[in-house]
Amino acid sequence: KAGVTQTPRYLIKTRGQQVTLSCSPISGHRSVSWYQQTPGQGLQFLFEYFSETQRNKGNFPGRFSGRQFSNSRSEMNVSTLELGDSALYLCASSPNPGTYEQYFGPGTRLTVT
Amino acid sequence: AQTVTQSQPEMSVQEAETVTLSCTYDTSENNYYLFWYKQPPSRQMILVIRQEAYKQQNATENRFSVNFQKAAKSFSLKISDSQLGDTAMYFCAFMAGSNTGKLIFGQGTTLQVKP
């Protein structure tokens, strides 16, 4: 069974632009969570989606948003990029919200210049 | 609010020896789950081991085992017969039973296995 895939793997954007990252969960997994990893703040939870609904949201500004499609694939969007948004963005999937194990994708490395 | 603390930023161990990574957490929940994840230089986060808080028996996965002390809110990871491939950053993580889908991570411990 294929693992979690994330595209693109690397991205360079300019301050003020917006970006969309994609995550395809493991086949059969319906819950997708997103995390931001930076050297200063570590790993921080962004949000979680299940059945196309956002179930949980971390403490991030409204510039960070996401959505989930009927096939469980998820996207996250960051608008008006700031230098501090440079990070590794990790997506994780699990079969459903009641399943506590999460399986991570390889991440998208976003650099904002 | 739940917090996870890893007090050892860096550790090293000789190949074939045993090393223990420490983790403490704080929560008022009674139902929760604890995890150790490994992140090698490739940055791929890999689940190493998990522990359900309601289980008294410590989890074991091959060379990896945990020492779960619920009253002390401690969750350490022991790696036996360390291998060069164990070199990675290790994260302790917490998930509340009432809030599945959200992992709270510690700051991580960088482990280097020396030949």
Side-chain angles (χ1 to χ4, degrees):
Chain A
K1 188 182 276 191
V4 178
T5 59
Q6 292 187 246
T7 56
R9 293 292 311 278
Y10 302 92
L11 205 50
I12 300 176
K13 289 288 188 178
T14 303
R15 193 170 42 184
Q17 290 184 316
Q18 74 166 14
V19 66
T20 299
L21 312 181
S22 181
C23 170
S24 292
I26 293 170
S27 178
H29 285 197
R30 300 168 61 199
S31 176
V32 173
S33 297
W34 288 89
Y35 298 87
Q36 181 197 64
Q37 185 175 21
T38 61
Q41 298 299 316
L43 280 151
Q44 293 185 290
F45 172 79
L46 281 156
F47 27 63
E48 185 224 358
Y49 286 88
F50 173 72
S51 288
E52 303 176 63
T53 301
Q54 187 182 88
R55 274 193 349 124
N56 212 340
K57 189 177 192 305
N59 189 26
F60 278 82
R63 300 185 298 107
F64 292 81
S65 63
R67 60 176 175 169
Q68 186 180 34
F69 302 95
S70 58
N71 62 357
S72 296
R73 188 178 70 85
S74 178
E75 290 181 346
M76 67 163 283
N77 183 275
V78 188
S79 62
T80 320
L81 283 165
E82 301 178 358
L83 296 178
D85 297 333
S86 294
L88 180 69
Y89 289 88
L90 293 165
C91 164
S93 77
S94 62
N96 56 63
T99 305
Y100 47 86
E101 290 185 14
Q102 293 189 357
Y103 298 90
F104 283 80
T108 294
R109 170 73 65 185
L110 172 65
T111 302
V112 182
T113 63
Chain B
Q2 295 99 1
T3 58
V4 178
T5 302
Q6 294 177 250
S7 59
Q8 305 151 314
E10 296 181 355
M11 294 189 72
S12 64
V13 63
Q14 292 295 131
E15 196 175 8
E17 294 189 343
T18 296
V19 64
T20 298
L21 309 184
S22 300
C23 172
T24 58
Y25 59 94
D26 189 26
T27 183
S28 59
E29 301 238 357
N30 195 47
N31 179 30
Y32 53 88
Y33 309 93
L34 296 164
F35 309 85
W36 280 97
Y37 279 89
K38 167 186 176 181
Q39 189 177 44
S42 68
R43 310 302 277 176
Q44 175 79 49
M45 195 78 81
I46 301 164
L47 177 62
V48 174
I49 198 166
R50 67 184 185 277
Q51 174 81 43
E52 295 89 341
Y54 62 85
K55 290 186 177 179
Q56 291 187 329
Q57 186 173 5
N58 289 324
T60 299
E61 288 286 343
N62 301 313
R63 299 182 295 107
F64 299 87
S65 62
V66 298
N67 183 3
F68 174 46
Q69 301 290 326
K70 190 172 184 178
K73 295 181 180 175
S74 170
F75 183 61
S76 61
L77 174 70
K78 185 173 82 171
I79 306 174
S80 304
D81 185 25
S82 296
Q83 300 175 0
L84 296 178
D86 295 334
T87 292
M89 180 165 280
Y90 288 80
F91 291 95
C92 178
F94 170 97
M95 180 184 288
S98 62
N99 203 3
T100 55
K102 176 182 179 179
L103 283 167
I104 298 170
F105 288 90
Q107 305 92 316
T109 296
T110 300
L111 175 67
Q112 182 177 15
V113 180
K114 299 179 178 179

